[in-house]
Amino acid sequence: MTVNVLMPALSPTMEQGKLAKWLKNEGDAVKAGDVIAEIETDKATMEVEAVDEGVLARILVPGGTENVAVNTPIAVIAEEGEEVADTADHAPVDRVGEEDKAQKQAEAAPPVPGQTAPQDEPGEANKAATKAAVEAATPAPKATSVAKEPSATVAPEVPEGTTMVSMTMREALRDAMAEEMRRDPNVFVMGEEVAEYQGAYKITQGLLQEFGARRVVDTPITEYGFAGVAVGAAFAGLRPILEFMTFNFSMQAIDHIVNSAAKTRYMSGGQINCPIVFRGPNGAAARVAAQHSQDYSAWYSQVPGLIVISPSNASDAKGLLKAAIRNDNPVVFLENEILYGKTSEVPALEDFVLPIGKARIARPGKDVTLVSFSIGMTYALQAAEQLAKEGIDAEVIDLRTLRPMDTATIIESVKKTGRCVAIEEGWPQCGISAEIAMRVQQEAFDYLDAPVLRVTGKDTPMPYAANLEKLALPSVADVITAAKAVLYRS
Amino acid sequence: MVEESGVASASASTIPPFSREQELTAFRDMLLIRRFEEKAGQLYGMGVIGGFCHLYIGQEAVVVGVKMAARDGDQFTTSYRDHGHMLASGMEPRRVMAELAGKRGGYSKGKGGSMHMFSREANFYGGHGIVGAPAPIGAGVAFANAYRGDGRVSLTFFGEGAANQGQVYEAFNMASLWKLPVVFIVENNRYAMGTEISRASAQIDLSKRGAAFGIPGKQIDGMDVRIVKATADEAIEWCRAGKGPYLIEAQTYRYRGHSMSDPAKYRSKEEVQKMREEHDPIEQVRARLIADGMSEDELKKIDANARKIVAEAADFATADKEPDPSELWTDVLA
Ligand SMILES: Cc1ncc(C[n+]2csc(CCOP(=O)(O)OP(=O)(O)O)c2C)c(N)n1
Ligand SMILES: [Mg+2]
């Protein structure tokens, strides 16, 4: 019997990889556990082991091939002495749960180009206006290569003619930390696997090599303890960037985030600041189930004394992480694992810092306002594109900062459209979208032509099964349905 | 005593021998776990299993040795590297595999997955995705045992990385204060993801970690199932006699990466190879059985049987249906 060796999936979010090289040749005998090939993903180089014994009868995908989809047959292992017919069935097996990933991939398409809102200062964000925000208003333009059309998604926060470079959110976050560490010797990074392992999700790649072990600190698995240690260091004048391997584990540390970091400035009558960034991936990844899929946007957004940021693309991630590191308050910076590998345009400026507390109009429109943030933006933008085909012109707002929330931008949009749908992956009760609905009804009640609707994650723990997980998460279809409902169209 | 390899050693004369029957039980149970995990790794690569999947390959002697010392009714609690513990608890391979595949025939109806699985019937209390969580939960199961006075012992497993979580020491203190019948088994496989123990722990003799709370501790070679069994016998007897908790540090090794996506660049191939060749828990038993006159053929039959059980489990898991969509909303509240 012949066995197909398939391109393996090596992480919950892997869709394809490079078959770097073969370590065995056709005709070689292999036994279970032998390393037969090496593959590369955007995160790491991995070994492919033989799972059975036999002979490596045929190599179907040569070494060096890029973009090999998960589950493509890459070789055939036959029993010793067995002939491998040319007609051997090399068809890939059906991948359970693949639809789920395909959907996520489709929905994670790059944002639709559009213009951003006028740059007037929103009321509430104003209150928290920081040095970073002021600095961000006048970034020093410094193009590093041939000028291209500026990406509309970030203009006009970026001077016209600025060179844009494509990078993943992973690279943007890493660059933001590296730049701030070069700029300020008090900035350091701490967390599980951030140094020698280069980050569990490779966000801190290269930082240990550049800054050394004094400033890139691996911790034991003791979230409560090291969050407290970092808060103490911040009280004493350092500026820690604390990585939670995922925000699920910040629950171990939440007492220090809320009781120590958020409240001390107030409790000390303004004497003691806590300039710290708590960052890491938040929310659902893919199939990692209830204890590893929680969205903490609403949890941390409830706390006075915290700033909460949750970007949807590489450019915002970079500009806002730099602002967060410079900010004198504790900042909870919520990233998303599925967005880490997504590429978008980032301005090639020497010092690109964005204002905290300022939403971005990702797509201008006049018929209905869709408000979201982080991965929710992928649903919102996809939906807007499909709605456009049906003659519905949706305006899409990316909150970017959840606390302080840029109410003014939302209200201004709703005054224009008269209809609003808020979208998030988190749970509905007391969610971000509940807060948006409340603010809209309070400040734009007379402009509303329909009740505000919301699209959220379902009110259950995250199930593991592929079909249930898909049902538990919001979808583009849910957003379209809600948008049509507020327009009384079907 | 700790050798250079990091595995505690005991001189041959002090190792309590196994009967032929015990050797066979250990061989069969460890091999079933190994074959099951190999298949799980394969199904992960094919996308039948998703999310995180942590294999127990290399560590089989720990749970099997403890199981051999346990009595019916004693409970097992562990973290996310849990497939071996489930099989040792007597849970059905096909239903464990179906859970790994997210199918309705799984122990949690497909809703929990690899890291979150439970069986009240088998006295298996999880399957926890949060590092450190098993320690107080296992102590709590022991609290219920003491409360009822039913003589059961809670067998609580966690990794050496988990041993740095604060809640572990809160649990140690309460367990000792209230004389709870719980055996804490630290599975020291030397790595917590990419962190070697000495990079994360100020005191690497983990058997001493209970000393401040008056908990007796023993550091043992967890690759030798006979030593694990003998130590677990002592520990369980201590607990059943009402003397309170007991701590075992079982020095072991995981052959595979932390999870499927771990490139394992933090250790050398030679280190892994040396462990496999010189300390493999299953090979040790096989060698003793052969030396005792058992034929290769008989052992091959046992292996073939394990493979058959596992293949059947994989077929079941692959063919089984996903949960009914209505299951999204069930089991949220009682
Ligand atoms: C509270 C918490 N922090 C971090 C993690 C991520 N994580 C999962 S396993 C692991 C390493 C645990 O190592 P160890 O306790 O030695 O167990 P092993 O994996 O070696 O069995 C980490 C850091 C987690 N699941 N829970
Ligand atoms: Mg470990």
Side-chain angles (χ1 to χ4, degrees):
Chain A
M1 205 192 78
T2 62
V3 181
N4 282 345
V5 181
L6 305 179
M7 183 71 173
L10 295 166
S11 75
T13 48
M14 173 173 165
E15 282 148 7
Q16 58 180 36
K18 174 180 176 184
L19 206 166
K21 67 172 175 213
W22 285 98
L23 302 170
K24 299 271 180 194
N25 296 315
E26 285 188 359
D28 285 357
V30 294
K31 54 181 194 321
D34 280 357
V35 179
I36 56 173
E38 275 183 12
I39 64 175
E40 282 171 22
T41 68
D42 56 345
K43 280 205 297 190
T45 303
M46 299 281 310
E47 293 170 343
V48 181
E49 290 182 7
V51 287
D52 245 311
E53 49 184 30
V55 173
L56 186 63
R58 193 152 294 164
I59 287 175
L60 304 171
V61 176
T65 309
E66 306 259 9
N67 304 330
V68 182
V70 162
N71 256 344
T72 309
I74 54 173
V76 182
I77 291 184
E79 275 172 38
E80 201 96 36
E82 185 185 14
E83 288 282 311
V84 181
D86 280 339
T87 51
D89 175 21
H90 298 148
V93 289
D94 255 5
R95 194 187 153 116
V96 178
E98 187 59 34
E99 320 88 299
D100 177 28
K101 278 190 186 166
Q103 157 134 358
K104 273 204 166 128
Q105 196 174 21
E107 286 168 10
V112 181
Q115 286 169 351
T116 52
Q119 289 291 290
D120 52 1
E121 209 48 35
E124 183 167 358
N126 215 0
K127 285 182 219 148
T130 58
K131 204 161 134 255
V134 176
E135 281 167 6
T138 52
K142 197 160 198 189
T144 54
S145 62
V146 193
K148 285 191 294 177
E149 274 290 289
S151 158
T153 58
V154 289
E157 281 162 347
V158 178
E160 213 159 319
T162 302
T163 304
M164 304 298 284
V165 287
S166 279
M167 65 171 77
T168 59
M169 188 185 279
R170 172 178 287 121
E171 292 162 335
L173 291 165
R174 192 259 330 271
D175 288 357
M177 287 190 280
E179 287 175 22
E180 293 307 299
M181 289 175 82
R182 284 176 208 131
R183 185 177 167 271
D184 181 349
N186 284 327
V187 177
F188 70 97
V189 178
M190 184 181 250
E192 291 161 21
E193 308 288 358
V194 296
E196 292 200 9
Y197 197 76
Q198 308 284 301
Y201 296 97
K202 299 289 173 273
I203 307 302
T204 52
Q205 189 131 38
L207 296 185
L208 173 69
Q209 284 64 27
E210 179 173 351
F211 300 102
R214 177 172 160 266
R215 298 181 68 194
V216 187
V217 184
D218 275 329
T219 64
I221 311 168
T222 54
E223 290 85 2
Y224 185 32
F226 68 67
V229 166
V231 167
F235 288 172
L238 299 184
R239 304 184 83 87
I241 303 170
L242 196 80
E243 175 172 303
F244 289 115
M245 191 174 281
T246 78
F247 260 91
N248 299 286
F249 316 137
S250 78
M251 269 204 289
Q252 308 281 312
I254 198 166
D255 183 70
H256 279 307
I257 301 172
V258 176
N259 266 328
S260 309
K263 298 177 183 171
T264 297
R265 184 180 160 85
Y266 193 81
M267 295 189 299
S268 68
Q271 295 176 74
I272 299 189
N273 286 344
C274 188
I276 185 170
V277 177
F278 299 101
R279 53 152 291 273
N282 172 60
R287 309 284 310 279
V288 293
Q291 292 185 329
H292 284 68
S293 301
Q294 197 167 322
D295 182 342
Y296 291 86
S297 309
W299 282 45
Y300 290 114
S301 291
Q302 233 234 339
V303 183
L306 291 182
I307 287 173
V308 183
I309 296 172
S310 193
S312 69
N313 61 61
S315 177
D316 288 348
K318 183 169 183 194
L320 286 168
L321 183 54
K322 281 167 68 79
I325 296 166
R326 290 182 197 185
N327 196 282
D328 280 334
N329 297 294
V331 179
V332 172
F333 196 92
L334 303 167
E335 299 157 10
N336 183 286
E337 192 198 330
I338 290 169
L339 298 179
Y340 278 156
K342 305 283 180 229
T343 299
S344 56
E345 300 281 279
V346 177
L349 296 171
E350 183 137 296
D351 199 21
F352 174 60
V353 184
L354 284 170
I356 291 172
K358 185 103 193 63
R360 178 175 60 93
I361 299 196
R363 183 189 203 282
K366 58 177 182 7
D367 295 334
V368 54
T369 302
L370 308 180
V371 188
S372 193
F373 58 95
S374 185
I375 196 164
M377 284 300 292
T378 59
Y379 307 115
L381 288 167
Q382 285 271 121
E385 223 172 289
Q386 292 188 30
L387 288 165
K389 288 183 195 139
E390 299 181 43
I392 297 169
D393 186 17
E395 178 148 296
V396 183
I397 297 177
D398 184 349
L399 284 177
R400 306 195 289 188
T401 302
L402 305 180
R403 182 188 186 95
M405 193 182 282
D406 183 357
T407 314
T409 297
I410 303 171
I411 297 301
E412 200 179 317
S413 173
V414 173
K415 282 182 177 173
K416 183 171 68 179
T417 63
R419 305 163 201 267
C420 181
V421 176
I423 302 120
E424 66 180 317
E425 276 200 355
W427 289 315
Q429 181 156 338
C430 304
I432 298 291
S433 54
E435 180 66 25
I436 292 167
M438 190 275 160
R439 292 184 189 208
V440 169
Q441 70 84 19
Q442 194 171 36
E443 295 186 35
F445 186 78
D446 291 339
Y447 295 85
L448 281 175
D449 294 320
V452 177
L453 288 188
R454 53 197 182 133
V455 174
T456 70
K458 303 300 184 295
D459 198 16
T460 71
M462 185 63 75
Y464 166 71
N467 64 331
L468 299 187
E469 185 187 54
K470 199 167 156 184
L471 290 173
L473 290 166
S475 69
V476 174
D478 291 344
V479 179
I480 292 172
T481 305
K484 286 183 178 172
V486 297
L487 283 156
Y488 302 106
R489 303 238 314 229
S490 50
Chain B
M1 215 193 98
V2 183
E3 276 181 26
E4 225 175 275
S5 68
V7 174
S9 66
S11 64
S13 59
T14 62
I15 299 175
F18 266 9
S19 64
R20 161 72 73 102
E21 200 185 325
Q22 285 175 313
E23 296 279 29
L24 278 172
T25 301
F27 184 71
R28 200 176 295 119
D29 292 356
M30 291 195 289
L31 202 57
L32 178 65
I33 295 173
R34 171 98 24 123
R35 297 293 175 240
F36 184 94
E37 293 292 68
E38 285 167 356
K39 183 59 87 179
Q42 198 179 340
L43 293 180
Y44 190 93
M46 290 163 60
V48 174
I49 297 171
F52 289 135
C53 184
H54 308 87
L55 303 181
Y56 194 62
I57 297 177
Q59 301 183 208
E60 297 91 343
V62 182
V63 80
V64 168
V66 172
K67 170 64 187 176
M68 288 176 77
R71 218 195 251 169
D72 270 1
D74 292 345
Q75 304 101 336
F76 282 70
T77 306
T78 187
S79 52
Y80 47 83
R81 197 177 302 286
D82 52 1
H83 315 157
H85 303 72
M86 297 185 240
L87 298 180
S89 302
M91 290 166 68
E92 289 174 56
R94 48 154 55 194
R95 291 186 62 200
V96 176
M97 199 66 98
E99 188 61 40
L100 299 191
K103 301 298 181 67
R104 61 178 63 182
Y107 271 97
S108 303
K109 305 179 192 164
K111 299 202 282 190
S114 161
M115 299 189 288
H116 319 104
M117 223 185 291
F118 304 81
S119 168
R120 193 175 276 292
E121 210 184 350
N123 291 304
F124 182 74
Y125 285 86
H128 299 274
I130 301 301
V131 165
I137 290 170
V141 168
F143 185 94
N145 296 344
Y147 189 90
R148 295 198 183 100
D150 58 13
R152 294 179 180 204
V153 173
S154 167
L155 304 161
T156 300
F157 298 76
F158 49 90
E160 91 295 336
N164 290 322
Q165 284 284 23
Q167 58 177 317
V168 172
Y169 300 92
E170 299 183 25
F172 280 8
N173 185 44
M174 288 182 278
S176 186
L177 185 66
W178 298 329
K179 299 251 174 297
L180 303 181
V182 50
V183 183
F184 295 109
I185 300 117
V186 182
E187 298 197 53
N188 178 4
N189 59 13
R190 294 189 26 207
Y191 296 92
M193 296 189 77
T195 305
E196 202 267 334
I197 178 169
S198 61
R199 294 206 299 115
S201 296
Q203 168 56 270
I204 64 166
D205 182 344
L206 302 176
S207 68
K208 290 187 181 150
R209 291 275 187 102
F213 308 97
I215 303 176
K218 210 164 190 184
Q219 184 179 58
I220 59 165
D221 174 0
M223 303 297 271
D224 188 330
V225 67
R226 298 165 306 174
I227 297 175
V228 178
K229 154 84 165 66
T231 314
D233 276 337
E234 253 170 65
I236 290 172
E237 198 180 290
W238 175 274
C239 291
R240 262 202 251 284
K243 295 180 185 168
Y246 197 103
L247 175 61
I248 299 173
E249 177 198 345
Q251 297 189 321
T252 180
Y253 201 77
R254 70 166 154 73
Y255 296 172
R256 297 292 185 95
H258 167 74
S259 63
M260 305 306 292
S261 56
D262 172 13
K265 292 272 142 75
Y266 44 81
R267 61 184 187 187
S268 68
K269 288 204 173 79
E270 292 69 41
E271 180 184 306
V272 182
Q273 205 50 35
K274 194 168 148 60
M275 270 294 177
R276 284 184 170 192
E277 276 162 19
E278 296 173 16
H279 295 276
D280 187 78
I282 299 173
E283 285 309 313
Q284 290 185 41
V285 182
R286 181 202 302 278
R288 287 198 300 271
L289 282 166
I290 298 275
D292 193 42
M294 190 102 182
S295 76
E296 282 280 1
D297 265 4
E298 281 170 287
L299 295 180
K300 275 210 170 124
K301 259 186 222 152
I302 294 175
D303 194 0
N305 192 48
R307 285 174 186 273
K308 195 172 137 241
I309 294 170
V310 165
E312 195 262 352
D315 289 346
F316 175 77
T318 311
D320 193 19
K321 286 198 206 144
E322 289 186 312
D324 189 87
S326 65
E327 288 290 353
L328 176 62
W329 299 102
T330 62
D331 307 317
V332 178
L333 288 174

